[in-house]
Amino acid sequence: MKNKATRLTGVAWILVAVFWATGNLLWAALPQQVVSGRVTDTNDNPIPGVSITLTNSSRGTQTDLQGAFSLNAQATDTLRIAYLGFKSLRIPVGTQMRFSIVLEQDITDLGEVTINAGYYNTTRREQTGSIARVTAEELERQPVTNVLTALQGRMAGVSVVQRSGVPGNAPSVQIRGQNSLRSGFGNSGNLPLYIINGVPIDSAPLNSFSGLTSPNIAGIDPLNTLNPANIESIEILKDADATAIYGSRGANGVILITTKKGTGGKQKTRFNAQVYTGAGVVPRKLDLITTVDYISLRQEAFANDGATPTQTNAPDLVLWDSQRYTDWQEKLFGGTAQTTGVNLGISGGSETMRFNLGLGYQRETAVFPGDYLYNKFTANLNLSHNSRDDRFSLQFNTSFGSDRNRQFDGSSFVSTGLSLAPNAPEVYGDAGELNWEDSSWTNPFSTLYRESEARVQQLISSLSLSYAITPNLEARLNSGYTLLHSNELVKQPLTFYNPTLWSFINSRSLHVGGQRESWIVEPQLIYRNSWGKFNLDALLGSTFQHRKNTGLNMVGIGYANDQLLGNLAAAEQLFVTDNTTQEYAYAAGFGRVGINYARKYYLNLTGRRDGSSRFGPSRRFASFGAVGAAWIVSEEGWMQGLKTFLSFTKLRGSYGSTGSDQVGDYGYLDTYSATPGGGGLYPTQLTNPIYSWERNRKLELALDLGFFKDQLRLSSSWYRNRSSNQLVGYNLPAITGFTSIQANLDATVENTGWEFEASTNLRAGRFNWQASLNASIPQNRLIAFPGIEESSYANIYKEGESLNIQFLYDYTGVDSETGLYTFKDINEDGVYNFDDRVRVKDLTRSLFGGLRNELSYGRVRLDFLWEFVLQEGQQYYPGIAPGRLGAILQEDYERRWQNPGDVAEVQKASQTIDASRAYNRLLTSAGVYTNTSFLRLKTVGLSYELPAENWGLNSCVLFLQGQNLLTFTRYRGLDAQSPGTNLPALQMLTAGLKLNF
């Protein structure tokens, strides 16, 4: 593959050189002229920042504060004038040198706001694929650590789940469902492709010994190093037409992140500053049992069992104070998290050079007791340059982010706070040390003695060079480099352990280190031309990428002094648990042809030939492609009579295939590891050189409508994605000496669904109202898996059902005579047989979306977003059965069985084996699954723009922002979004000031 890549590179650059030389001659023959002008609204007010581009090239400029502009153009060029909230214009240049342009307000950006489609740009009116977009205005004031959490409820087909309220946690992101059978940490096969300014980012969570930031996947999200205030827009590519040009990398959708750019021309240098501060708390606490009722319940359990309380089996009744009550929720996670953020920026330049420089700092404490802290520093720089004749342009972006995280996932504090007896002992003894009263008491505050700190630094840089060989042909070179360095240190002194349980434990330190380094180069040729009503936009390019990941994990055990913890030279024993280096190479050739006729018939053809080092030599290359088409029906002559009502109608559709190589490196090889002490090698993996790419075939049909001059816009789409040739670790019998081998399974996963979007924008004098609604109705099914009954996947998946299912016991209620939970078709042999789980429950979201409103009057603006999810899930039940040592919910106490003949919902208080078995089966039965849907006021913001013109400021805005302020749900746990004992998403309230001058 290396030789092929070299030949492709050579051919590409020979073509560029030939076109360059030929283009210089052709260009020289075409006369250039400087055109200038001024852009105003209908009241003759200048409009700064208006985009002025040439329709057949990427060259352009922006108007300055007085609405003025100038650029080089030819008589055959056409000026394209576009600005958000105003109707766009196209004006032929001809012989005119000076333009006075008046823009009319438009309630829609349907036609002219540029949308990033990856290797090319399009507009909402002209796009043939499915692309969702969120702008900086919706992102920049949210005090989030990870920018992806700001996308919740804002995009159809994009499911974002925040697993924890601990800052820095890695959210779960799925675009139109789960495609792969693989799941879990790292390359799960379902990760989207993240592109930042043209540079792909490895988004797999980083390994963590302490479980930092993610209770479900032990890892740290590398995207935390991005600054949300520096992001201009986020586009998400969903269907085949939008993603096929990325080939195998776009199988699970593509997330394009574009950072802010500088402004130049005649505008003066601009400064901006944003400062905010706020606080966050856990939005909901559970109604746990009181001490009086708890003591009564425990005594009732001993009476039901005919047993006697002792110091061993009932310290809470015999040893502990029966009058003491502690709300452990308040003590363990009832604090207030403080957050502070500062963002500074400067932008400016000249007619040929523009720059944007930004700095950011964020700090957030925890709701847990103790000195837990998360802080982040970011810096970013954008440089843009174009020659005076606009033939050459340069774009350079670089960003650096540094995270320091001294928090932990918090699940231990949350679970302990929900299960600890209300009369448990005080946490500290007379000497101020942790109180270890007996072996039944595990003091949760021992975690305070465990120190952990994770540091992540990431550099992302990109350079794009372009040269207009002729007015219609452009050569472009995109390149990028990323470097991520991470390390984590966890210190566990002797005081961390309970001495009554651990008498032979030594102090230890855990060390995790890793580095990810990647570069990419993409030479391209772009051709644009028009012949009457026929327009052509073609792209030819190639990709060469290399990635190298290294990891080193060590454990030091036995330190003479806690002050030496972390110094590996002072450890009595040292173990290396991981020392790996993995390299990944990727090469591809791609092309696109975009055709439109009369701006009403559109055809988009894309293709890509991919090569990946993750497959054997005979299976490395595969081809992917797609076709997308759109018909703007409202442009037909026979539709003109309906335009006063139905102002816009577009039919579009796409079909194509993408692939996936999201498996580990070197999976096709026999691999060996060294034995300790250098005694030799032992095999760790079997070879399989013939497994190959997953295939994801995507189909979409859509209808876009505009009513009343596009004051109301509706869009609906139906999609079907089928992923086959599944790449999994195929389980092997133990006799082989290996647990699995990488292989392709003849299984097919199907995701179908409907997506709906509606938006409106009404203006009346100084009042403006914008509203948008999105809703998704997804369905996921395993439509084929031959031989699943004989495979190890029979206990996980089922043909015809979703991948997100649970096999459950069939719950039949509480027996009125015995007082125990009962189940249908259970083999009462005391063994938990999986075959007894006859009920199947689908936990896939059946509906999700969001409703956003923005109202403004004069200088005051109010915006809010409601997120809604329709789903089923596991209702919260304490991990301890009624009557055992530990707290339960007050409502369970009041609904328990007490006497024969009672019709109850909660089984009797008991500590017997039968009662424990019945309760454990309940937790894996249909009896605990219920409607866990929720409606949440995700964000609400209120801002006021002060009349700061007299102060020499362009703008001064005061804002108040709230997150997760209200939630309506039947779920009785802490957070319906992430059931269980994770720290819920915090209820945050922040206030800030934003200045532009």
Side-chain angles (χ1 to χ4, degrees):
M1 185 171 64
K2 183 177 180 181
N3 291 332
K4 291 183 178 180
T6 303
R7 288 197 295 270
L8 284 172
T9 305
V11 171
W13 284 112
I14 290 173
L15 288 173
V16 170
V18 171
F19 279 122
W20 187 302
T22 305
N24 278 318
L25 297 177
L26 294 174
W27 190 285
L30 297 173
Q32 298 282 305
Q33 60 190 45
V34 177
V35 297
S36 61
R38 184 170 181 263
V39 181
T40 63
D41 61 16
T42 54
N43 296 320
D44 199 35
N45 296 314
I47 308 177
V50 176
S51 173
I52 313 290
T53 59
L54 305 179
T55 55
N56 291 327
S57 75
S58 61
R59 299 184 303 279
T61 187
Q62 288 185 333
T63 58
D64 60 19
L65 291 176
Q66 285 71 45
F69 72 92
S70 65
L71 78 165
N72 292 323
Q74 299 172 0
T76 57
D77 283 330
T78 298
L79 298 180
R80 178 175 176 269
I81 301 96
Y83 190 67
L84 181 65
F86 290 81
K87 294 181 179 180
S88 66
L89 295 175
R90 280 177 167 80
I91 303 175
V93 174
T95 60
Q96 190 171 353
M97 305 288 291
R98 179 74 182 174
F99 295 85
S100 294
I101 302 170
V102 178
L103 295 185
E104 297 180 5
Q105 282 193 340
D106 192 357
I107 48 75
T108 176
D109 62 353
L110 183 65
E112 310 309 332
V113 172
T114 300
I115 296 174
N116 181 10
Y119 291 101
Y120 64 100
N121 293 329
T122 184
T123 65
R124 188 69 68 195
R125 181 185 187 277
E126 298 177 348
Q127 70 183 58
T128 55
S130 182
I131 304 175
R133 186 172 191 259
V134 171
T135 62
E137 187 180 15
E138 299 178 66
L139 299 173
E140 59 186 7
R141 286 203 305 272
Q142 297 186 55
V144 294
T145 302
N146 191 302
V147 68
L148 298 179
T149 60
L151 303 181
Q152 289 180 293
R154 297 182 183 272
M155 296 178 169
V158 182
S159 174
V160 181
V161 178
Q162 186 177 351
R163 294 187 179 102
S164 170
V166 176
N169 77 92
S172 170
V173 180
Q174 283 190 355
I175 301 174
R176 290 186 170 177
Q178 180 179 341
N179 295 312
S180 176
L181 297 179
R182 303 188 304 284
S183 61
F185 176 77
N187 284 332
S188 65
N190 293 290
L191 294 174
L193 170 66
Y194 293 88
I195 303 283
I196 302 175
N197 293 324
V199 181
I201 299 297
D202 185 354
S203 61
L206 301 164
N207 188 28
S208 168
F209 267 145
S210 65
L212 265 170
T213 73
S214 179
N216 295 331
I217 297 180
I220 301 168
D221 194 342
L223 295 177
N224 290 336
T225 57
L226 298 179
N227 183 2
N230 183 45
I231 293 176
E232 182 66 32
S233 67
I234 297 178
E235 279 92 354
I236 295 188
L237 316 184
K238 297 183 285 187
D239 72 328
D241 177 64
T243 61
I245 198 168
Y246 286 99
S248 62
R249 300 181 297 171
N252 302 309
V254 183
I255 298 180
L256 304 173
I257 300 177
T258 304
T259 58
K260 293 180 178 179
K261 296 178 174 59
T263 57
K266 297 181 180 179
Q267 302 180 47
K268 66 177 183 179
T269 300
R270 296 181 178 180
F271 299 86
N272 63 80
Q274 181 192 53
V275 180
Y276 66 83
T277 185
V281 296
V282 173
R284 186 180 187 182
K285 304 285 196 329
L286 302 189
D287 185 15
L288 298 177
I289 192 170
T290 65
T291 300
V292 173
D293 290 338
Y294 172 77
I295 296 297
S296 174
L297 182 70
R298 290 282 286 151
Q299 292 172 341
E300 183 179 310
F302 280 95
N304 288 337
D305 298 341
T308 302
T310 66
Q311 293 184 11
T312 301
N313 63 19
D316 51 342
L317 298 180
V318 177
L319 297 177
W320 301 348
D321 185 355
S322 62
Q323 303 300 316
R324 179 168 50 216
Y325 173 78
T326 302
D327 186 347
W328 290 104
Q329 295 178 99
E330 289 295 331
K331 276 192 173 291
L332 295 175
F333 55 92
T336 299
Q338 306 291 334
T339 183
T340 302
V342 179
N343 294 294
L344 304 174
I346 178 174
S347 64
S350 63
E351 293 183 359
T352 59
M353 176 70 76
R354 294 164 298 281
F355 70 91
N356 182 76
L357 174 65
L359 299 173
Y361 175 77
Q362 184 179 359
R363 181 181 187 273
E364 185 171 336
T365 61
V367 295
F368 310 121
D371 185 21
Y372 294 108
L373 178 67
Y374 171 86
N375 55 29
K376 172 168 67 177
F377 170 79
T378 61
N380 57 272
L381 173 65
N382 167 267
L383 292 175
S384 303
H385 171 73
N386 60 278
S387 60
R388 292 193 176 277
D389 61 4
D390 285 330
R391 296 181 63 184
F392 173 78
S393 66
L394 174 151
Q395 285 276 352
F396 174 72
N397 290 281
T398 187
S399 65
F400 174 77
S402 177
D403 277 5
R404 183 187 179 195
N405 199 331
R406 290 195 285 112
Q407 303 217 33
F408 68 113
D409 65 24
S411 58
S412 61
F413 269 14
V414 175
S415 60
T416 302
L418 298 179
S419 62
L420 206 56
N423 69 328
E426 294 296 330
V427 295
Y428 293 100
D430 295 336
E433 297 180 348
L434 286 182
N435 184 5
W436 306 105
E437 290 207 354
D438 53 68
S439 60
S440 65
W441 162 246
T442 300
N443 196 319
F445 282 82
S446 62
T447 304
L448 298 178
Y449 287 87
R450 183 192 199 193
E451 297 181 27
S452 65
E453 179 174 282
R455 292 176 179 264
V456 180
Q457 294 87 34
Q458 183 165 218
L459 174 70
I460 304 172
S461 296
S462 66
L463 175 65
S464 177
L465 306 173
S466 67
Y467 184 79
I469 301 172
T470 73
N472 305 113
L473 182 64
E474 178 184 347
R476 182 179 298 172
L477 178 66
N478 294 334
S479 59
Y481 176 77
T482 66
L483 177 63
L484 182 147
H485 181 74
S486 64
N487 61 79
E488 180 183 22
L489 173 62
V490 181
K491 300 178 182 179
Q492 296 181 177
L494 290 176
T495 50
F496 171 73
Y497 302 97
N498 185 343
T500 64
L501 296 177
W502 305 97
S503 56
F504 299 103
I505 285 293
N506 290 314
S507 56
R508 61 182 58 200
S509 63
L510 315 172
H511 305 252
V512 182
Q515 181 171 292
R516 296 177 178 178
E517 185 178 16
S518 175
W519 60 260
I520 186 171
V521 176
E522 294 186 311
Q524 301 170 35
L525 288 174
I526 301 166
Y527 180 78
R528 303 181 183 93
N529 210 342
S530 299
W531 299 271
K533 295 183 178 181
F534 182 84
N535 301 282
L536 173 68
D537 188 351
L539 167 69
L540 180 65
S542 57
T543 299
F544 308 96
Q545 182 182 359
H546 182 271
R547 181 188 300 161
K548 181 179 180 180
N549 292 351
T550 59
L552 177 61
N553 299 347
M554 297 178 291
V555 179
I557 299 177
Y559 289 89
N561 190 303
D562 286 349
Q563 300 299 319
L564 299 175
L565 272 172
N567 184 349
L568 292 174
E572 295 179 1
Q573 295 176 293
L574 179 63
F575 298 95
V576 178
T577 61
D578 179 51
N579 186 7
T580 57
T581 298
Q582 295 181 322
E583 295 190 53
Y584 167 66
Y586 171 87
F590 59 89
R592 170 186 176 264
V593 176
I595 302 170
N596 81 76
Y597 180 78
R599 298 195 71 220
K600 59 182 177 181
Y601 308 113
Y602 294 85
L603 182 65
N604 194 39
L605 304 172
T606 58
R608 193 175 186 105
R609 177 73 171 172
D610 279 4
S612 171
S613 65
R614 287 174 174 160
F615 301 107
S618 64
R619 302 296 177 96
R620 281 186 175 160
F621 288 88
S623 299
F624 310 99
V627 56
W631 174 25
I632 302 181
V633 185
S634 53
E635 292 296 314
E636 300 292 348
W638 48 271
M639 285 287 292
Q640 300 310 303
L642 299 175
K643 276 213 165 181
T644 55
F645 168 69
L646 185 59
S647 52
F648 181 78
T649 305
K650 181 172 75 171
L651 293 170
R652 59 179 174 87
S654 65
Y655 178 77
S657 70
T658 56
S660 178
D661 67 346
Q662 287 191 28
V663 292
D665 297 312
Y666 317 125
Y668 62 92
L669 295 173
D670 279 321
T671 60
Y672 298 83
S673 290
T675 58
L681 302 174
Y682 65 94
T684 57
Q685 179 180 274
L686 286 177
T687 181
N688 179 16
I690 61 172
Y691 68 83
S692 187
W693 305 78
E694 279 187 6
R695 287 278 180 172
N696 195 334
R697 293 172 173 84
K698 301 182 179 183
L699 172 66
E700 180 179 51
L701 299 173
L703 172 65
D704 300 329
L705 300 173
F707 297 91
F708 312 112
K709 297 184 179 181
D710 294 341
Q711 292 185 27
L712 174 64
R713 288 160 45 190
L714 302 176
S715 177
S716 61
S717 60
W718 172 85
Y719 65 88
R720 187 195 70 193
N721 300 343
R722 286 185 172 177
S723 181
S724 58
N725 209 33
Q726 292 282 325
L727 274 170
V728 297
Y730 188 80
N731 290 330
L732 297 176
I735 195 173
T736 65
F738 298 89
T739 58
S740 66
I741 185 173
Q742 192 70 56
N744 293 107
L745 283 182
D746 186 20
T748 302
V749 177
E750 179 183 81
N751 285 283
T752 59
W754 288 90
E755 295 175 2
F756 302 96
E757 295 177 300
S759 62
T760 186
N761 188 341
L762 301 178
R763 298 177 186 268
R766 301 181 66 194
F767 176 77
N768 181 41
W769 172 48
Q770 298 181 41
S772 62
L773 170 70
N774 72 82
S776 304
I777 307 175
Q779 184 181 33
N780 175 274
R781 289 192 308 148
L782 178 62
I783 61 174
F785 196 150
I788 187 174
E789 294 82 4
E790 289 76 36
S791 74
S792 60
Y793 293 95
N795 295 340
I796 307 174
Y797 304 121
K798 183 178 181 180
E799 276 190 308
E801 299 286 350
S802 164
L803 297 185
N804 191 23
I805 60 173
Q806 292 289 328
F807 292 93
L808 306 167
Y809 294 113
D810 192 354
Y811 174 70
T812 53
V814 177
D815 189 298
S816 60
E817 296 301 319
T818 65
L820 299 180
Y821 295 122
T822 59
F823 309 88
K824 186 179 180 181
D825 299 327
I826 291 293
N827 183 5
E828 296 294 348
D829 56 1
V831 179
Y832 295 96
N833 296 311
F834 190 87
D835 292 340
D836 294 338
R837 300 189 182 189
V838 296
R839 291 286 301 276
V840 177
K841 184 69 68 173
D842 184 3
L843 305 184
T844 304
R845 291 180 166 185
S846 56
L847 172 70
F848 64 90
L851 172 64
R852 180 175 182 259
N853 279 271
E854 180 180 318
L855 301 98
S856 63
Y857 182 80
R859 297 177 180 271
V860 180
R861 188 179 72 172
L862 172 67
D863 66 88
F864 55 90
L865 171 70
W866 288 94
E867 180 190 11
F868 55 86
V869 174
L870 187 63
Q871 63 184 3
E872 282 194 294
Q874 187 173 11
Q875 188 67 282
Y876 173 76
Y877 273 79
I880 302 171
R884 287 183 170 266
L885 179 64
I888 67 170
L889 298 181
Q890 185 68 38
E891 63 179 276
D892 288 346
Y893 171 80
E894 295 168 354
R895 297 183 303 155
R896 75 191 187 284
W897 182 97
Q898 298 182 68
N899 299 295
D902 285 353
V903 178
E905 299 180 53
V906 177
Q907 78 172 15
K908 68 179 181 181
S910 175
Q911 298 185 100
T912 63
I913 295 177
D914 288 341
S916 177
R917 182 184 298 123
Y919 188 78
N920 289 334
R921 278 181 173 153
L922 172 74
L923 298 182
T924 52
S925 77
V928 297
Y929 283 81
T930 185
N931 185 348
T932 56
S933 306
F934 63 89
L935 173 65
R936 172 170 291 169
L937 183 57
K938 185 62 185 174
T939 63
V940 59
L942 178 65
S943 64
Y944 177 71
E945 184 175 357
L946 297 171
E949 294 84 358
N950 296 331
W951 305 341
L953 301 176
N954 292 332
S955 66
C956 177
V957 179
L958 293 171
F959 63 88
L960 186 67
Q961 184 80 19
Q963 289 186 296
N964 307 315
L965 297 185
L966 290 173
T967 301
F968 301 97
T969 181
R970 293 176 57 186
Y971 178 68
R972 65 179 193 171
L974 293 173
D975 189 359
Q977 177 184 218
S978 183
T981 57
N982 306 325
L983 184 73
L986 299 185
Q987 186 179 80
M988 300 287 295
L989 189 64
T990 57
L993 173 68
K994 184 175 182 180
L995 300 174
N996 286 283
F997 51 94

